[in-house]
Amino acid sequence: MDNGLPKHVAIIMDGNGRWAEQRQMPRFAGHRAGVETVRAIVKESARLGIEALTLFAFSTENWRRPRPEVNFLMDLFMSALDQELDELHRRNVRFRVIGDLDGFSRKLRSAIERGVTLTAGNDGLTLVIAVNYGGRWDITQAMRKLGTRIRDGQLAPEEVTLDHIHAELCLNDLPEPDLFIRTGGEHRISNYLLWQLAYTELYFCDCLWPDFDIIQFQRALESYGRRQRRFGMTGLQVEANQGSGALQEMQSGL
Ligand code: FPP
């Protein structure tokens, strides 16, 4: 049933550093405050019955930050995982991670694995944390897998369809994001889910991530609820198809 809510929300949590600088605090303090916002938005998403929430916690480009900040973000992620996992499990949240985990410590990788395994059977909100993730990395790793299948004779190049590409990308088992939110005032996608955002509604707000609360989240959801998604069709066609399920099929474009 269409309750007007997005099934899948993808967020770029921007503005932690500026939030701290405005308070003459070190950038670390902004990231720490950002974790509180993560907690509130995850809880609210689960309460509302949103199916999936994908949060961009660390991009493939974030390694360029000063080493102490990178280390701090890793430690913060690790400790947030330690502290929150039981609560997430209790709330029936399925925890997942996307990104190139090869760059991470063994300790962090096994903590992630523990969390994924513990919550794999849950059927509430799917919480996806994107770490060392980049949309271009995602497309590249998908192309490598497809290339291997072609090399091994399992698939001819002329047989490759959107379906084959989709199947190799991260998040292939989730509905594509309906709503993208970026806090912090920048109007960019910043190498986030490049393929998956093709038909996503974009919402930008000036609010810095630590200040983003459930009222701000509600505003984003309301803005989404007012939009007409046309997937390349005319407004009249969309109205004629409303409720038929055809729109969802078109969204996937597959
Ligand atoms: C962007 O703000 C934020 C990040 C690069 C890190 C986001 C991480 C968290 C919110 C905490 C950890 C997350 C989880 C899932 C536990 P910025 O530093 O780019 O801010 P600025 O643009 O103001 O400098």
Side-chain angles (χ1 to χ4, degrees), residues 12 17-18 59 64 70 82 116 128 130 151 177 236 242 244 247:
I12 295 187
R18 277 166 287 160
S59 75
R64 298 178 190 150
V70 170
D82 270 352
V116 171
V128 185
R151 184 198 61 200
L236 278 177
Q242 219 100 49
S244 68
L247 289 175

Side-chain angles (χ1 to χ4, degrees), residues 13-19 21 27 31 34-35 38 55-58 62 65 69 73 76-77 80 129 208-209:
M13 313 178 282
D14 198 12
N16 293 346
R18 277 166 287 160
W19 182 91
E21 281 155 16
R27 292 175 59 83
H31 295 312
V35 175
V38 170
L55 304 176
F56 208 0
F58 194 85
N62 284 150
R65 293 190 174 209
E69 183 167 342
L73 282 168
L76 191 64
F77 185 45
I129 307 292
L208 304 175
W209 178 250

Side-chain angles (χ1 to χ4, degrees), residues 1-10 45 49-53 125-126 174-179 221 224 229 248 251:
M1 199 187 70
D2 184 11
N3 55 9
L5 278 175
K7 285 194 173 76
H8 185 172
V9 180
S45 300
I50 289 172
E51 278 180 35
L53 177 67
L125 173 74
T126 298
L174 295 178
E176 294 193 345
D178 304 292
L179 173 64
L221 297 175
Y224 171 81
R229 307 183 72 194
Q248 272 65 33
Q251 177 191 14

Side-chain angles (χ1 to χ4, degrees), residues 25-238:
M25 289 156 89
R27 292 175 59 83
F28 307 129
H31 295 312
R32 214 176 269 126
V35 175
E36 296 305 316
T37 306
V38 170
R39 191 177 289 127
I41 299 304
V42 169
K43 197 170 150 192
E44 181 66 359
S45 300
R47 191 188 72 78
L48 290 170
I50 289 172
E51 278 180 35
L53 177 67
T54 301
L55 304 176
F56 208 0
F58 194 85
S59 75
T60 43
E61 289 73 33
N62 284 150
W63 294 106
R64 298 178 190 150
R65 293 190 174 209
R67 194 70 220 176
E69 183 167 342
V70 170
N71 291 342
F72 182 85
L73 282 168
M74 297 295 155
D75 290 348
L76 191 64
F77 185 45
M78 181 81 203
S79 66
L81 202 58
D82 270 352
Q83 283 165 25
E84 303 299 329
L85 203 59
D86 288 340
E87 176 66 9
L88 290 175
H89 188 40
R90 209 178 56 73
R91 288 188 187 275
N92 195 24
V93 171
R94 190 162 63 122
F95 170 76
R96 304 247 304 259
V97 167
I98 55 169
D100 184 2
L101 296 186
D102 288 346
F104 291 109
S105 69
R106 187 188 297 225
K107 201 169 144 209
L108 185 52
R109 273 183 290 159
S110 57
I112 290 171
E113 215 173 284
R114 213 169 40 245
V116 171
T117 309
L118 175 72
T119 63
N122 293 343
D123 60 4
L125 173 74
T126 298
L127 171 65
V128 185
I129 307 292
V131 278
N132 198 18
Y133 177 85
R136 289 177 176 174
W137 166 83
D138 194 359
I139 293 170
T140 306
Q141 64 82 28
M143 289 307 114
R144 281 200 192 117
K145 287 187 205 150
L146 266 187
T148 306
R149 291 182 58 195
I150 292 171
R151 184 198 61 200
D152 295 347
Q154 294 166 15
L155 192 67
E158 59 277 12
E159 286 168 0
V160 173
T161 62
L162 293 175
D163 269 324
H164 292 105
I165 298 174
H166 176 84
E168 303 297 353
L169 287 162
C170 295
L171 307 183
N172 58 12
D173 58 335
L174 295 178
E176 294 193 345
D178 304 292
L179 173 64
F180 160 95
I181 300 173
R182 181 176 187 146
T183 63
E186 312 286 359
H187 293 193
R188 284 194 287 273
I189 303 289
S190 294
N191 196 20
Y192 199 20
L193 302 154
L194 296 180
W195 175 282
Q196 297 85 342
L197 292 177
Y199 281 102
T200 303
E201 294 297 324
L202 307 180
Y203 181 88
F204 298 94
C205 65
D206 290 335
C207 173
L208 304 175
W209 178 250
D211 291 328
F212 191 77
D213 56 17
I214 59 174
I215 310 271
Q216 305 267 353
F217 189 39
Q218 195 57 46
R219 265 184 218 149
L221 297 175
E222 280 165 14
S223 165
Y224 171 81
R226 287 192 296 271
R227 301 187 193 185
Q228 186 190 51
R229 307 183 72 194
R230 292 203 285 273
F231 307 107
M233 294 182 294
T234 67
L236 278 177
Q237 286 175 302
V238 171

